[in-house]
Amino acid sequence: MIWRLYLQFLKFGAFTFGGGWSIVAQMKELYVEREKNITDEELLDMTSIGRSLPGTMIGNIAMFYGHRQAGFFGGVACMFGMITVPMIVLIAITTFYTAFQSNIWVASAMKGVRTAVAPVILSALMGMVKSAFKIPPCFVIALAMFILFFFFNVSCVWLVVIGAVLGLIMCEYYERRRGIDVTA
C-alpha cells in the first residue's frame, strides 16, 4: 500500500503542471471518481485544512491523504513521491539556469503549459465549489469572505476563524431548526 501511494504521488509530481490545484484535480479524478477512496467533501476538507496550515497546500494534502490511507508512513510516502521528480527537475534547472533563461524553446514551452493548465485548475475548482455550497448561506459566507479579503485586506487567518465560527453556527441552526444534516 505504501509503495503504491508513493508511485501514485510520484506520477502526480511528474506529470501534473500548474501547482497544487492541478494536483487536487488529479487526486479528485483518481481517488474520488475512479477509486472512490474518498468523497468530494473529504477532499474539500483536506484541501481546506491543507490551505490553512503552514507549508505548501499540496504537501499538507498529500500528508493527510497518505496518513488516512496507510498511517504516518503512508503520509511520508505521498510527500516524498510528490516531491521526487520536481526536486530533480529543480536541481537540473538551477544547475543550468543561465542556459535555460534565454532559450526561446523553453520559454515557448512554458507558455504553452501555462495555457493548458488553466482548464484543469478550473475543473477542480468547479467540482469543489459544487460540493462546498450545499445550502444557500454558504454562498453568502463565501461572498463575504471574498469581500473581506480583496476589498478590506483581512488576514487569511481571520477569514478561516470567521468561516469556522459561521460554519458552526450555520450547522447548529440547520440541524436544530430545520432537521437538516448539512454534514452529509
Side-chain angles (χ1 to χ4, degrees):
M1 176 61 141
I2 292 173
W3 184 246
R4 182 173 171 264
L5 288 170
Y6 175 81
L7 292 175
Q8 287 174 336
F9 276 81
L10 181 77
K11 181 182 173 189
F12 292 150
F15 299 110
T16 306
F17 294 89
W21 289 109
S22 58
I23 293 174
V24 170
Q26 295 301 311
M27 289 178 69
K28 180 180 184 316
E29 180 185 329
L30 179 62
Y31 299 130
V32 174
E33 295 171 5
R34 271 197 263 159
E35 294 183 1
K36 301 192 187 319
N37 289 341
I38 58 174
T39 64
D40 270 327
E41 290 79 16
E42 289 170 321
L43 182 59
L44 178 63
D45 290 344
M46 284 186 225
T47 305
S48 299
I49 295 168
R51 184 97 172 108
S52 303
L53 293 175
T56 63
M57 174 192 72
I58 196 59
N60 294 337
I61 295 170
M63 189 67 185
F64 283 137
Y65 181 79
H67 186 274
R68 184 176 188 276
Q69 296 300 312
F72 174 77
F73 292 110
V76 171
C78 290
M79 281 290 300
F80 278 102
M82 188 183 59
I83 67 169
T84 301
V85 173
M87 185 173 60
I88 291 168
V89 170
L90 280 172
I91 289 170
I93 288 173
T94 55
T95 303
F96 303 107
Y97 179 72
T98 54
F100 287 140
Q101 183 180 13
S102 59
N103 186 313
I104 193 162
W105 297 104
V106 172
S108 298
M110 289 297 107
K111 285 181 184 173
V113 167
R114 276 183 272 169
T115 58
V117 165
V120 172
I121 293 171
L122 281 173
S123 169
L125 181 63
M126 293 308 295
M128 292 176 74
V129 166
K130 286 178 188 174
S131 65
F133 298 146
K134 292 184 176 185
I135 53 178
C138 292
F139 290 104
V140 176
I141 293 172
L143 180 62
M145 297 299 126
F146 178 82
I147 291 169
L148 288 172
F149 182 75
F150 283 103
F151 296 110
F152 296 101
N153 205 22
V154 174
S155 167
C156 292
V157 174
W158 284 111
L159 295 178
V160 169
V161 170
I162 294 167
V165 169
L166 291 174
L168 290 170
I169 292 168
M170 183 175 51
C171 286
E172 184 69 21
Y173 171 79
Y174 274 88
E175 287 178 6
R176 286 185 184 231
R177 304 271 188 219
R178 300 188 179 185
I180 299 172
D181 183 11
V182 295
T183 60

